[in-house]
Amino acid sequence: MKQSQMLIPTLKEVPADAEIKSHQLLVRAGYIRQIASGIYSFLPIGRRVLRKVEDIVREEMEKIGAHEMMMAALQPAELWKESGRWFTYGSELMRLHDRHERDFALGATHEEVITSIVRDEIKSYKRLPLTVFQIQNKFRDEKRPRFGLLRGREFLMKDAYSFNESFESLDESYNQMFQAYSNIFKRLGLNFRAVIADSGQMGGKDTHEFMVLSDVGEDVIAYSDTSDYAANIEMAPVIMTYEKSQDAPKQMEKVSTPDQKTMQDVADYLGHGLEAGLKSIMFKVDDRYVMVVTRGDHEVNDIKLKNLYDADIVELASEEKTKELLGTGFGSLGPVGVSEEVEVVADYAVEALANVSCGANEAGYHFVNVTPQQDFKVSQYADLRFIKEGDPSPDGQGHIQFARGIEVGHVFKLGTFYADNLNASYLDDQGKAQTMVMGSYGIGVSRTVAAIVEQYNDERGITWPAHIAPFQVHLLSLNPKKEEQKQLADQLYEQLKTAGIEVLYDDRKERAGVKFADSDLFGIPLRLTVGKRAGEGIIEMKERTTGEQSEVDQSDVLSTVNEWFKQ
Ligand code: 9G3
């Protein structure tokens, strides 16, 4: 294709709102343009890259017998009312109504849609297992869209759904999908890890996230320094056993701690380390109020709290509610003497403590020499803290290290939640009606494009893996006004195109410097430059990633290019 006829608006300056490399480069190189916060259009060269990623996903899906379809993106509210999710999702679910005032949702995901199709069409166990997928834009009204394609409000997802007659069959589908995901991310040249994840609102048990390692990743991965254990920090269990304190419990006493703001201030003031203090935080868990107590040097893991209560909503209690329940605001909360209406739960580490300090539920006062069970009641102990670097790995091998990751894939064993709620059943080989068992499997396709750029770039622009780039060859004619240059470049363009090479031809009347800078931004693997030596039939060839340059006679260009892509 000829650049003089294409929409590829490149920018010299970095867009002000683009904080990370992939966002900056995809905008500067003319791959995407934002139309509203978190909403992007893919320009022509962006669409070509997207299609290459899609095609690799398609191939691996079809290899495991998943068939592509295209579901409706406009979803009638009735389906979400049948599954109950119309009311459990808040403003993140984009809702609208049609001319008849009927409620619809813009597709954030398609469990309800696909289950409503399958329940009407599949009746016999002979038709199972069945796996379908689609590649379609999803709509989720994120509170804080950011980082360009990494967290958008409209994004391209491959979502697949498996329908199985049993949990054993679901395990097989899940494992096949797991392997297909590994193949996909390997083929995309990504450095990724499959990590054990939290199933969140999806219910079901097993779930894994595919994480691309990156410092701009929003997720934290806890991985073992000696085994292949890796989990999203949200759910990584803490298997530590705590040595019970041997100290005889002393008499608790109330001390004045004027103007001490943080846990560290109080610990310093009382002359002990953070780990000899208790941290007490009030949460609203669905419709009850819970005080979570952890050791002062630990952090409450709200996902573990949510799973402990199997709750829908877990959020910090407001300051005024805290004042109402405990008589004081944040800063000197503690479990001693709290009223019955507040349930006190504590992390396992607290149980082993004796003679520690905690807030006295009175501004400017703390208790010292506090010992659990003797000085305050705990309704239950549980694993409620985030795992920390250096903690033992949950698989018992080695110790935990942290890394940041970009979640590009997520596979779920859903179980029977949707089939139950939407009555998707089949007749088994005894003619008995059985509920279908489901799995759902997602890849963030547009997010993956950004993750690839995060991993493949240098100071001059993008350095795509060769099979992902929008074109294979970037052909530049430096001075189209010079007849011999224009002729040679035109001839090469025709020759390469005829040979089936994907070539982008920069035939614009621009200065050489502009052409070279744009070429480096695009990240097309191989550049052919027709310049001063066109008269001698000599072309300059340059590899984008390595920067390696060579001179090629015009009669050898096609064989040299074909040879290069064979490697
Ligand atoms: C919603 C909104 C946001 C959501 C969901 C529903 C995440 C929702 C989880 C999934 C599960 C799987 C199929 C592909 C793989 C992931 N955010 N999830 O269900 F209404 Cl607003 O999407 N779905």
Side-chain angles (χ1 to χ4, degrees):
M1 292 186 201
K2 295 185 175 179
Q3 273 180 250
S4 59
Q5 298 156 0
M6 285 180 74
L7 172 63
I8 319 181
T10 57
L11 301 173
K12 258 197 195 47
E13 70 286 349
V14 173
D17 65 335
E19 300 161 70
I20 60 169
K21 212 81 176 93
S22 57
H23 187 189
Q24 294 166 358
L25 291 175
L26 286 167
V27 171
R28 283 190 55 212
Y31 283 88
I32 60 172
R33 279 296 179 272
Q34 177 178 304
I35 192 166
S37 163
I39 302 174
Y40 291 85
S41 302
F42 280 80
L43 304 187
I45 57 174
R47 182 70 188 98
R48 289 176 70 94
V49 168
L50 208 50
R51 184 172 292 115
K52 299 215 172 162
V53 173
E54 284 174 33
D55 287 346
I56 288 174
V57 171
R58 263 187 193 97
E59 268 170 45
E60 292 299 329
M61 285 298 109
E62 282 160 6
K63 250 160 75 176
I64 59 170
H67 305 293
E68 183 166 10
M69 62 188 287
M70 174 61 85
M71 296 175 225
L74 274 175
Q75 304 183 8
E78 289 73 8
L79 284 181
W80 285 66
K81 287 174 182 168
E82 281 188 62
S83 71
R85 296 211 290 176
W86 183 257
F87 300 105
T88 50
Y89 277 91
S91 46
E92 192 187 350
L93 179 63
M94 301 197 86
R95 303 163 205 252
L96 67 161
H97 43 256
D98 67 8
R99 64 171 62 211
H100 308 296
E101 292 303 303
R102 289 194 202 102
D103 283 329
F104 285 80
L106 273 182
T109 182
H110 282 69
E111 280 81 5
E112 285 82 357
V113 170
I114 190 61
T115 307
S116 72
I117 295 170
V118 167
R119 73 179 170 194
D120 296 341
E121 312 302 339
I122 301 287
K123 290 296 169 209
S124 160
Y125 72 101
K126 292 184 186 122
R127 307 289 305 282
L128 299 177
L130 172 83
T131 305
V132 290
F133 75 94
Q134 66 170 353
I135 302 181
Q136 182 193 68
N137 273 5
K138 291 282 183 288
F139 304 86
R140 296 179 182 177
D141 199 357
E142 293 284 347
K143 208 183 291 181
R144 269 182 305 283
R146 62 183 197 148
F147 290 176
L149 299 180
L150 286 190
R151 180 166 289 280
R153 294 195 289 166
E154 176 177 359
F155 54 92
L156 190 61
M157 183 197 274
K158 181 285 300 177
D159 43 323
Y161 304 87
S162 69
F163 292 84
N164 302 82
E165 53 190 303
S166 66
F167 277 90
E168 292 72 28
S169 166
L170 169 60
D171 287 350
E172 282 165 32
S173 298
Y174 187 89
N175 295 338
Q176 277 190 320
M177 205 48 92
F178 192 101
Q179 189 51 53
Y181 275 45
S182 302
N183 298 346
I184 288 165
F185 296 119
K186 244 177 249 149
R187 290 179 62 183
L188 292 172
L190 285 167
N191 176 14
F192 71 94
R193 294 284 184 288
V195 307
I196 303 163
D198 177 68
S199 58
Q201 222 133 332
M202 297 308 288
K205 46 184 183 39
D206 280 11
T207 165
H208 286 81
E209 286 165 341
F210 286 76
M211 296 282 190
V212 168
L213 302 184
S214 161
D215 293 340
V216 301
E218 285 186 347
D219 293 86
V220 177
I221 303 159
Y223 66 93
S224 161
D225 53 7
T226 56
S227 73
D228 62 1
Y229 178 88
N232 188 313
I233 190 174
E234 282 178 351
M235 66 78 60
V238 174
I239 57 157
M240 245 160 133
T241 47
Y242 302 92
E243 197 182 310
K244 197 140 182 65
S245 163
Q246 299 308 314
D247 300 349
K250 295 179 199 147
Q251 178 58 36
M252 180 178 83
E253 58 177 293
K254 187 171 169 181
V255 296
S256 156
T257 51
D259 309 329
Q260 299 311 309
K261 289 281 163 286
T262 66
M263 287 285 304
Q264 189 62 57
D265 294 344
V266 170
D268 296 346
Y269 185 85
L270 295 175
H272 60 63
L274 270 183
E275 71 292 338
L278 295 181
K279 183 186 289 181
S280 309
I281 300 183
M282 284 300 295
F283 283 89
K284 184 168 184 293
V285 179
D286 284 344
D287 52 8
R288 78 191 84 172
Y289 286 90
V290 177
M291 176 183 276
V292 181
V293 181
T294 62
R295 215 172 69 185
D297 56 326
H298 291 158
E299 297 300 323
V300 178
N301 181 330
D302 54 327
I303 301 294
K304 288 182 180 175
L305 178 63
K306 188 157 169 267
N307 292 338
L308 177 69
Y309 283 94
D310 192 17
D312 279 332
I313 311 245
V314 164
E315 56 196 18
L316 286 172
S318 66
E319 182 129 33
E320 56 268 18
K321 189 64 186 172
T322 303
K323 277 201 178 94
E324 187 191 308
L325 291 166
L326 300 170
T328 177
F330 301 152
S332 60
L333 297 184
V336 174
V338 299
S339 74
E340 288 304 303
E341 61 182 316
V342 172
E343 194 173 336
V344 177
V345 297
D347 177 70
Y348 286 126
V350 171
E351 194 167 18
L353 298 174
N355 302 321
V356 291
S357 71
C358 70
N361 291 325
E362 191 180 334
Y365 285 91
H366 280 73
F367 286 122
V368 293
N369 299 333
V370 175
T371 301
Q373 295 311 15
Q374 169 180 292
D375 298 316
F376 64 93
K377 287 287 157 275
V378 174
S379 72
Q380 66 173 319
Y381 285 98
D383 171 10
L384 286 171
R385 73 174 176 86
F386 277 106
I387 202 165
K388 286 173 78 171
E389 286 199 292
D391 280 353
S393 172
D395 67 351
Q397 299 172 54
H399 291 84
I400 287 296
Q401 304 285 315
F402 285 172
R404 300 199 76 87
I406 301 168
E407 179 195 332
V408 289
H410 200 157
V411 290
F412 291 80
K413 286 181 185 171
L414 291 180
T416 57
F417 176 82
Y418 292 92
D420 275 337
N421 290 6
L422 280 84
N423 304 316
S425 63
Y426 67 94
L427 294 180
D428 66 14
D429 54 0
Q430 313 295 320
K432 195 162 160 296
Q434 303 287 356
T435 303
M436 292 184 194
V437 180
M438 287 174 64
S440 77
Y441 317 91
I443 288 180
V445 177
S446 48
R447 177 182 278 183
T448 297
V449 168
I452 294 170
V453 177
E454 282 297 324
Q455 223 163 309
Y456 290 90
N457 70 71
D458 65 16
E459 66 289 345
R460 294 194 312 283
I462 301 171
T463 56
W464 296 109
H467 59 304
I468 306 294
F471 292 91
Q472 292 173 293
V473 167
H474 195 196
L475 173 66
L476 274 58
S477 72
L478 292 190
N479 189 345
K481 288 199 210 61
K482 287 252 171 58
E483 201 37 46
E484 78 276 8
Q485 281 195 35
K486 183 177 177 335
Q487 247 181 25
L488 178 53
D490 286 353
Q491 179 208 328
L492 278 175
Y493 177 57
E494 289 312 319
Q495 187 190 16
L496 289 164
K497 258 195 332 179
T498 311
I501 301 283
E502 295 171 52
V503 49
L504 178 66
Y505 179 16
D506 191 348
D507 59 341
R508 298 174 298 167
K509 295 198 174 10
E510 291 281 354
R511 285 182 299 99
V514 168
K515 295 193 177 190
F516 285 130
D518 283 358
S519 182
D520 287 340
L521 265 180
F522 294 152
I524 293 168
L526 212 49
R527 177 164 78 210
L528 299 175
T529 304
V530 174
K532 286 192 289 300
R533 304 194 61 186
E536 305 157 62
I538 301 290
I539 318 294
E540 232 176 74
M541 186 165 97
K542 182 172 186 181
E543 295 184 5
R544 175 63 186 86
T545 303
T546 62
E548 219 166 288
Q549 306 212 27
S550 58
E551 292 188 334
V552 181
D553 186 277
Q554 70 180 78
S555 55
D556 302 333
V557 166
L558 188 54
S559 57
T560 309
V561 166
N562 281 327
E563 196 46 45
W564 192 88
F565 280 99
K566 271 207 192 69
Q567 290 151 5

